[in-house]
Amino acid sequence: MEDNGAEFKGISVHNFSEKILEQVVHFHVMKLSGGFFLWVGSAPVLSNLAVSMSSKYDSMPLSTLVMGDPSNTAPNSLAQRLAKKTKKQVFVSYSLPMTDSSLSLLVENRIKKELELHPEHF
Amino acid sequence: MYLFLSFFLCRVNKMSESVIRSKQAQREVNGISTEVVCTEFSNYIFVVLTQYGKIGTLISVTPDSRSNDLSTPTFSTKVLLGKDEPLTHVCAKNLAMFVSQESGNRPVLLGLALKDSSIDAIKQIKEMIKSCQVW
């Protein structure tokens, strides 16, 4: 199965954590063929799920929330930005309080750092 | 010195330890490479069953709140993403009901991407799920 020119070698799981603004944030990545699933949270709850992928009709990837509260835009926007960056199909579940916008910015930067350090896990 | 070191190692361990537990398996089912990944959340069990390496159709399998009689439990299935066809609901219920029952009636989020949905294949895949028990 082709995956951006490289051969897909099966699903793999990658976990990492980081203390951000006095709280430990956990990241869980499941690498899939042509995409990945990413869960972000401080407690092991699955409260929402967004899916995003690029479209040839728009420069911004399409994104939709398949589970959770539609008023919480965090999972959708994160999925969309990661899909844009990686050109892959991205599933995102974001279970952190959305009251703090600086937290979500730092969280996104941490994901981008991991994408650069360990692209093989995504 | 030793105390300091052990304290440090303990911290490192704690940080690298994930709050999310998952188990996976890979096997040939009727000649098709099949992968199973089960992930535990406190409010969900996430199960990926794939012969394409992709999540495919996303289905939620939720136990219905039981009526007062002791009848057999019933489940609702909902296709969240992908083709909503009757066979998908049948496969999802068949594959995920026992996961929900064994995990204290937690709902199951199922990613299903199968080339072979025969009863025989489903039976074998069910055994694979049992080998990835995280609940």
Side-chain angles (χ1 to χ4, degrees):
Chain A
M1 214 170 282
E2 292 295 310
D3 176 23
N4 284 348
E7 192 168 333
F8 177 69
K9 293 184 186 70
I11 297 174
S12 61
V13 169
H14 174 56
N15 293 303
F16 57 101
S17 305
E18 181 85 43
K19 199 165 188 178
I20 303 172
L21 296 179
E22 294 305 306
Q23 67 171 314
V24 180
V25 178
H26 300 277
F27 302 84
H28 173 86
V29 190
M30 192 187 296
K31 184 195 172 100
L32 303 152
S33 172
F36 61 90
F37 165 86
L38 168 71
W39 173 87
V40 184
S42 47
V45 189
L46 189 75
S47 44
N48 52 52
L49 186 63
V51 189
S52 183
M53 58 199 287
S54 292
S55 148
K56 60 177 174 177
Y57 303 108
D58 202 336
S59 62
M60 214 43 205
L62 300 165
S63 189
T64 186
L65 193 76
V66 294
M67 211 177 94
D69 179 5
S71 70
N72 181 2
T73 54
N76 249 331
S77 63
L78 182 58
Q80 199 170 30
R81 282 200 290 275
L82 291 174
K84 174 118 182 142
K85 191 173 168 66
T86 61
K87 313 250 186 301
K88 290 180 178 186
Q89 184 185 39
V90 181
F91 291 82
V92 167
S93 178
Y94 188 89
S95 299
L96 286 170
M98 55 164 182
T99 42
D100 198 342
S101 59
S102 56
L103 177 69
S104 54
L105 197 72
L106 292 166
V107 164
E108 196 176 322
N109 286 338
R110 181 62 185 87
I111 297 163
K112 283 177 179 163
K113 186 180 144 199
E114 196 72 11
L115 268 166
E116 275 153 33
L117 289 171
H118 299 288
E120 72 278 10
H121 292 313
F122 291 84
Chain B
M1 181 61 192
Y2 173 74
L3 258 175
F4 171 74
L5 199 69
S6 58
F7 172 69
F8 179 74
L9 284 174
C10 183
R11 288 277 300 192
V12 168
N13 269 332
K14 229 178 165 179
M15 282 299 282
S16 60
E17 192 181 281
S18 176
V19 286
I20 302 294
R21 244 166 26 106
S22 66
K23 279 189 187 176
Q24 68 180 102
Q26 190 276 330
R27 218 179 81 189
E28 298 243 318
V29 172
N30 297 341
I32 305 165
S33 172
T34 309
E35 288 185 274
V36 173
V37 187
C38 294
T39 312
E40 186 195 28
F41 294 92
S42 60
N43 59 337
Y44 262 101
I45 304 291
F46 180 35
V47 180
V48 176
L49 305 174
T50 184
Q51 295 177 328
Y52 290 91
K54 295 166 190 284
I55 284 182
T57 308
L58 259 181
I59 311 123
S60 75
V61 181
T62 316
D64 297 327
S65 53
R66 278 228 235 164
S67 49
N68 47 12
D69 64 289
L70 291 163
S71 58
T72 48
T74 54
F75 289 82
S76 299
T77 46
K78 192 181 171 199
V79 173
L80 303 176
L81 191 73
K83 207 165 156 190
D84 193 345
E85 52 183 17
L87 186 63
T88 307
H89 293 265
V90 175
C91 288
K93 270 187 196 168
N94 195 313
L95 288 160
M97 262 168 52
F98 86 94
V99 176
S100 175
Q101 285 171 325
E102 287 182 6
S103 62
N105 288 324
R106 269 180 272 186
V108 177
L109 181 65
L110 185 65
L112 207 55
L114 300 180
K115 295 175 186 175
D116 178 5
S117 304
S118 64
I119 299 171
D120 178 48
I122 296 286
K123 263 187 192 161
Q124 292 182 56
I125 293 164
K126 228 165 157 177
E127 289 306 313
M128 287 179 75
I129 303 174
K130 284 176 189 163
S131 75
C132 297
Q133 190 173 337
V134 285
W135 47 91

